[in-house]
Amino acid sequence: MSILATLADGLASGSVEVLDLTAPLSAETPVIQLPPQFAQTAPFELEELSRYDDRGPAWYWNNFRTGEHTGTHFDAPNHWVTGKDGDDVASVPASRLVAPAVVLDFAAQAADNPDFLLEVEHIREWEAVHGPLPEGGWLLYRTGWDARSSSQQEFLNADDTGPHTPGISPACARWLGEEAPVIGIGVETVGTDAGAAHSFDPPFPCHASLMGSGKYGLTQLQNLGQLPPTGALLIAGPLPIVHGSGAPSRVLALVERG
Ligand code: MN
């Protein structure tokens, strides 16, 4: 039997489960807030065109307005100045949008310390148990932050010193971009960088290193806690916005059960 026929059988029998890692997209979806001197991204907004009424008697439809980086979304290499000559989101090869994924769970550490930073040593310890990070695949970084995603305030977790959300250390970000075999990292927070990364050296090291290495980011993922540490297949579907720096994205995971 062909590989795809076997997969289709698994999907039909339930031995392969499809998990949705995508946050619902609405006006309530949390959005990043930059310091006031910078331009701000738009929250998601629906504008009703007609709803079975005079404006369109048999049909319902909307326009929408959103930032490229609103909700569960994909960061393309050209999002950061380090990757400005790299692919826009429409140029990311489709073959890279279906890839293996592993999950590193640091929800307990992030619960104790919202400024928790992933280090290379943490990844090495994980690899000693689960094997190497997947070549051409994703590192999904679980922090439990998806539980906060119904509240902008809890999600951004800001005080007068700025946002406090877990992320990745500058050294680990550099390693992930330049040395790790993965094509990108996925997170549950509003961006791939820590809330405090504005004051890191370099600032926003995860964006700087990943985009500069032609890699990708996936943010505001949900349900990572339902994934096994290894063995999932991730499907990321950003809108192919020509010249876009990223796009809202449906992200699914195929997981083998039983
Ligand atoms: Mn982004």
Side-chain angles (χ1 to χ4, degrees):
M1 196 151 71
S2 79
I3 292 167
L4 288 180
T6 305
L7 173 60
D9 275 1
L11 289 163
S13 72
S15 67
V16 177
E17 188 181 356
V18 182
L19 283 173
D20 198 343
L21 308 185
T22 319
L25 200 49
S26 77
E28 281 73 51
T29 300
V31 293
I32 197 167
Q33 280 179 339
L34 299 185
Q37 66 269 33
F38 299 120
Q40 303 294 331
T41 193
F44 185 84
E45 201 178 301
L46 273 187
E47 176 199 352
E48 190 175 278
L49 291 173
S50 72
R51 195 160 194 160
Y52 333 118
D53 53 25
D54 291 347
R55 300 169 299 169
W59 51 93
Y60 166 55
W61 59 344
N62 302 292
N63 287 326
F64 63 82
R65 178 169 192 265
T66 185
E68 292 172 330
H69 298 258
T70 294
T72 301
H73 71 269
F74 189 100
D75 287 350
N78 71 341
H79 177 40
W80 218 249
V81 63
T82 49
K84 63 182 165 62
D85 300 320
D87 278 347
D88 64 47
V89 70
S91 304
V92 173
S95 60
R96 305 196 85 185
L97 300 177
V98 181
V102 297
V103 182
L104 278 63
D105 189 342
F106 291 88
Q109 289 84 343
D112 283 347
N113 172 18
D115 293 309
F116 175 78
L117 298 180
L118 187 68
E119 301 284 358
V120 177
E121 297 73 54
H122 294 127
I123 298 175
R124 292 306 193 195
E125 285 165 18
W126 183 92
E127 287 183 315
V129 177
H130 298 286
L133 296 180
E135 184 78 41
W138 293 89
L139 187 167
L140 304 180
Y141 175 28
R142 171 153 170 77
T143 54
W145 225 253
D146 58 343
R148 297 168 172 253
S149 62
S150 58
S151 159
Q152 165 97 0
Q153 197 183 350
E154 279 186 47
F155 199 64
L156 299 185
N157 198 37
D159 61 17
D160 51 11
T161 65
H164 297 278
T165 60
I168 294 172
S169 77
C172 187
R174 196 175 324 115
W175 182 83
L176 285 168
E178 295 172 8
E179 295 183 49
V182 295
I183 57 169
I185 70 151
V187 300
E188 296 171 329
T189 43
V190 77
T192 54
D193 268 297
H198 53 85
S199 57
F200 289 2
D201 182 19
F204 307 104
C206 207
H207 283 83
S209 178
L210 286 172
M211 315 293 65
S213 304
K215 295 184 177 183
Y216 316 120
L218 279 174
T219 75
Q220 287 179 253
L221 298 172
Q222 300 197 338
N223 300 325
L224 297 187
Q226 297 179 44
L227 293 177
T230 63
L233 188 70
L234 190 116
I235 303 165
L239 299 174
I241 300 168
V242 175
H243 305 313
S245 72
S249 188
R250 196 72 181 254
V251 182
L252 305 174
L254 302 187
V255 180
E256 226 172 321
R257 298 296 189 198

